[in-house]
Amino acid sequence: MTSLELATEASDQWISTQIKDWSPRWQENVSEWLQPSLALVGDAEWGGQFRDMVQLPIDDPLAWANRRVELSNGHWAIVGIRFRGQDIQKPFVDVIATSLLPTPHGIAALSEVLPHFTDFAPLCLRVNLPDPDRNLRILDQSAADAAHITPDLLIVGRPVKEMNEQVPADRYDDVTLVRYDPDQAAERVRAIYDELTQSRPDLGQWATPADAESLEDAAEQGLLFDIRVDGASAGILAAERDDAYGFTGFCMQEIALDSAYRGQQIGVAALQRLSRELPSTLDDVLWGHIHPDNGPSLRNAQASGRKVVTAHVWLTPPGYPGMPSR
């Protein structure tokens, strides 16, 4: 079997049961999602570009490339060095695929990966954990052989066809979506975040405003909108095609409301409007990343029927400092 076939086969236990129910072609989807990362295993050219961009004194380009690590128990892991928020003070090792299982024993065995990246002084590992509500309880009860496990980002989603079948929110008829310019949208989003930061000074730890580049991508797909309520501008909404985690679909890039329109189901109504604008196929999912501390966004997502299906979690074995919360 090729490395891609092996990684796809190994992913079976790491894909949420909900994703498998939503996406009959999940194995093909996973294979397409993994392929770019697997292509970078041992890629010295890419590693050199990564090194030159980050500018740390670690010369070997292969140290920067994704790599396959053989574990002492006969299993393997495909991993790569990363930096949270592009901050060189926050290095971690990303687990892309592994033959281990998402069990306490399997999670604990991943700690063998970290010594292979000693030059980078990684703080911890990051793993995509399926069905986190259940698996985090299991791992907490076992303590994963004393490793500390903390959720970083939740992946929440729902099939677009189900979004379109739900009962409209109370404010649905009051809300319309109008195409918007990405540069103006970026300024508007920054202003909303600046205002929010005054009442939530820790906002930047779990949510950052979408930049003009990502909003331009959404605009090119016709999925960048001014949210209007009774004709008045109320905020910004953006999404773009992004197939990941075993499903195909559209990723939320931004939803930001002015203070006068929060807590009124405007966000839910806007998401329902968006789902009808998406050029979706039968099995597409509307999904997004939400930090577990971002209560308003999580409540809004769940009110629109989206479910937590997987999560990025920090795995910190004994002897490692772990990812700081700030």
Side-chain angles (χ1 to χ4, degrees):
M1 297 177 73
T2 66
S3 59
L4 180 57
E5 289 170 335
L6 285 170
T8 302
E9 182 179 84
S11 71
D12 180 75
Q13 298 297 318
W14 292 88
I15 300 298
S16 162
T17 53
Q18 184 68 82
I19 291 175
K20 292 178 181 179
D21 288 342
W22 287 342
S23 305
R25 297 178 63 252
W26 70 268
Q27 288 175 307
E28 296 172 54
N29 298 341
V30 167
S31 181
E32 292 174 2
W33 179 49
L34 288 174
Q35 194 279 329
S37 294
L38 294 178
L40 298 178
V41 173
D43 187 332
E45 181 179 358
W46 179 79
Q49 293 171 355
F50 189 15
R51 174 201 60 200
D52 296 343
M53 178 182 67
V54 177
Q55 295 188 342
L56 284 177
I58 301 168
D59 292 333
D60 184 0
L62 290 176
W64 295 83
N66 292 348
R67 63 180 88 173
R68 174 176 169 134
V69 174
E70 303 295 337
L71 305 174
S72 62
N73 60 7
H75 286 274
W76 51 264
I78 305 295
V79 294
I81 189 67
R82 303 289 187 268
F83 301 87
R84 185 186 188 187
Q86 300 181 344
D87 184 345
I88 61 173
Q89 301 300 318
K90 298 178 180 179
F92 66 92
V93 175
D94 198 25
V95 179
I96 299 162
T98 179
S99 60
L100 292 163
L101 300 180
T103 61
H105 181 72
I107 292 290
L110 282 170
S111 62
E112 278 189 39
V113 167
L114 286 169
H116 291 264
F117 293 84
T118 299
D119 289 346
F120 294 94
L123 305 178
C124 56
L125 293 150
R126 188 179 72 173
V127 179
N128 293 334
L129 188 69
D131 303 314
D133 288 345
R134 175 176 60 86
N135 283 324
L136 282 172
R137 284 196 301 271
I138 294 171
L139 293 171
D140 283 344
Q141 290 168 0
S142 70
D145 292 346
H148 182 61
I149 300 171
T150 307
D152 175 41
L153 289 173
L154 307 176
I155 290 82
V156 296
R158 188 177 188 184
V160 175
K161 63 181 179 181
E162 292 185 12
M163 295 279 291
N164 292 339
E165 292 168 355
Q166 66 185 335
V167 176
D170 291 343
R171 300 297 303 275
Y172 182 83
D173 291 335
D174 302 329
V175 173
T176 55
L177 301 179
V178 179
R179 302 283 173 82
Y180 207 50
D181 174 78
D183 291 328
Q184 291 179 312
E187 292 180 9
R188 182 77 179 284
V189 169
R190 279 196 298 271
I192 291 173
Y193 274 70
D194 287 345
E195 182 269 327
L196 273 169
T197 302
Q198 296 178 24
S199 58
R200 303 178 197 167
D202 60 344
L203 176 68
Q205 301 304 316
W206 39 261
T208 55
D211 58 22
E213 182 178 353
S214 63
L215 293 175
E216 185 171 348
D217 291 341
E220 288 176 354
Q221 297 179 32
L223 297 175
L224 172 61
F225 300 101
D226 180 16
I227 303 170
R228 296 190 181 176
V229 179
D230 296 326
S233 182
I236 301 297
L237 179 64
E240 65 176 317
R241 164 68 71 175
D242 192 354
D243 304 336
Y245 306 107
F247 47 63
T248 62
F250 300 86
C251 179
M252 291 294 305
Q253 295 299 309
E254 188 62 82
I255 179 167
L257 291 171
D258 292 327
S259 57
Y261 296 96
R262 295 174 203 144
Q264 303 172 40
Q265 284 206 318
I266 300 300
V268 176
L271 287 170
Q272 291 178 338
R273 288 285 184 186
L274 172 66
S275 70
R276 287 159 174 78
E277 296 280 346
L278 296 172
S280 59
T281 59
L282 181 62
D283 297 316
D284 280 340
V285 173
L286 178 61
W287 66 277
H289 297 99
I290 300 178
H291 193 279
D293 290 342
N294 189 348
S297 291
L298 190 56
R299 288 191 294 273
N300 185 57
Q302 292 173 328
S304 70
R306 289 191 285 161
K307 302 175 181 178
V308 177
V309 293
T310 191
H312 299 313
V313 300
W314 301 122
L315 171 63
T316 307
Y320 288 85
M323 188 62 66
S325 58
R326 295 182 180 273

